Amino acid sequence: MGRHEPRSALNSPKAVVIVQLRTNTKRAISHMNEETLYFEDFEDGRVFVSDPRTVSAEEIIEFAKEFDPQPMHLSEEAGKASILGGLSASGWHTSSITMRLFYDSVVHRSAGQGAPGIDLMEWRKPLLAGDTLRLKVTVVSKRPLSTRPEIGMVVMAHELSNQRDETILRMQGPVMVKLRNPATEVRA
């Protein structure tokens, strides 16, 4: 915190933590009523859509200072002078936001067991300050694992779009999910 400018009392670290805790508590309470999704629930073609999320200039700059301090991620002027057209989020910041939206819309209510990697990730357009994002996740395929009878592999395609319906990010990869009834699933 020592490298940041002084904050007002309303925007103090304690106030930010309280707001964040309240937001996460509301989210956690709303998720408690949702039924857990198991491997059997991820049918090919099933679609999940996240709530919208607007990205501020301040969060773009904070992420960039810490993880990707390239000029176009640190100032509007440098962003406008680049091919990106304005202050833009790092691709890694965009990926992190995508993961959070994926967590909020799918992972938090699934019997997920992690992921072995990502098969595809493309940053298609810059994520600019003020953009409002929505993530669409589509089940592409699934298969039970012969080596782990209680787990199946679900491949999902992710598309992150802005308020103009422009694709910002495309990603695809497998996720491991527990089976509800491992003994009744037909093995591949």
Side-chain angles (χ1 to χ4, degrees), residues 89-106:
S90 161
W92 300 113
H93 187 190
T94 304
S95 300
S96 296
I97 291 169
T98 300
M99 182 62 213
R100 181 57 199 230
L101 293 173
F102 179 46
Y103 174 84
D104 289 345
S105 57
V106 180

Side-chain angles (χ1 to χ4, degrees), residues 17 38 62 78 89 98 132 135 162 171 184:
V17 168
Y38 290 90
E62 285 303 309
T98 300
T132 298
L135 179 67
N162 63 19
M171 182 172 81
T184 62

Side-chain angles (χ1 to χ4, degrees), residues 158-184:
H158 306 251
E159 185 173 322
L160 185 70
S161 300
N162 63 19
Q163 68 277 8
R164 293 176 298 281
D165 289 326
E166 298 170 324
T167 301
I168 302 296
L169 174 144
R170 285 183 50 222
M171 182 172 81
Q172 184 168 308
V175 177
M176 296 177 288
V177 182
K178 280 185 179 180
L179 276 71
R180 181 180 288 111
N181 299 304
T184 62

Side-chain angles (χ1 to χ4, degrees), residues 37-181:
L37 298 171
Y38 290 90
F39 175 79
E40 295 87 343
D41 300 313
F42 290 93
E43 294 298 326
D44 288 4
R46 183 168 183 182
V47 174
F48 301 88
V49 179
S50 74
D51 289 335
R53 182 183 192 287
T54 301
V55 181
S56 71
E58 294 78 20
E59 72 178 291
I60 289 173
I61 292 168
E62 285 303 309
F63 185 96
K65 283 180 182 177
E66 183 75 19
F67 299 107
D68 191 357
Q70 296 182 68
M72 68 286 243
H73 305 319
L74 294 170
S75 82
E76 182 67 34
E77 297 75 29
K80 284 183 179 175
S82 77
I83 63 170
L84 302 175
L87 177 65
S88 65
S90 161
W92 300 113
H93 187 190
T94 304
S95 300
S96 296
I97 291 169
T98 300
M99 182 62 213
R100 181 57 199 230
L101 293 173
F102 179 46
Y103 174 84
D104 289 345
S105 57
V106 180
V107 175
H108 78 275
R109 62 190 185 124
S110 74
Q113 300 297 296
I118 296 172
D119 298 328
L120 166 80
M121 182 176 298
E122 298 176 340
W123 299 315
R124 307 289 295 179
K125 289 220 177 250
L127 166 52
L128 301 174
D131 275 352
T132 298
L133 305 173
R134 189 175 302 270
L135 179 67
K136 176 182 165 186
V137 178
T138 306
V139 176
V140 174
S141 64
K142 69 178 192 177
R143 65 180 174 81
L145 296 178
S146 57
T147 57
R148 301 286 307 260
E150 74 283 5
I151 295 175
M153 194 73 72
V154 180
V155 176
M156 297 186 201
H158 306 251
E159 185 173 322
L160 185 70
S161 300
N162 63 19
Q163 68 277 8
R164 293 176 298 281
D165 289 326
E166 298 170 324
T167 301
I168 302 296
L169 174 144
R170 285 183 50 222
M171 182 172 81
Q172 184 168 308
V175 177
M176 296 177 288
V177 182
K178 280 185 179 180
L179 276 71
R180 181 180 288 111
N181 299 304

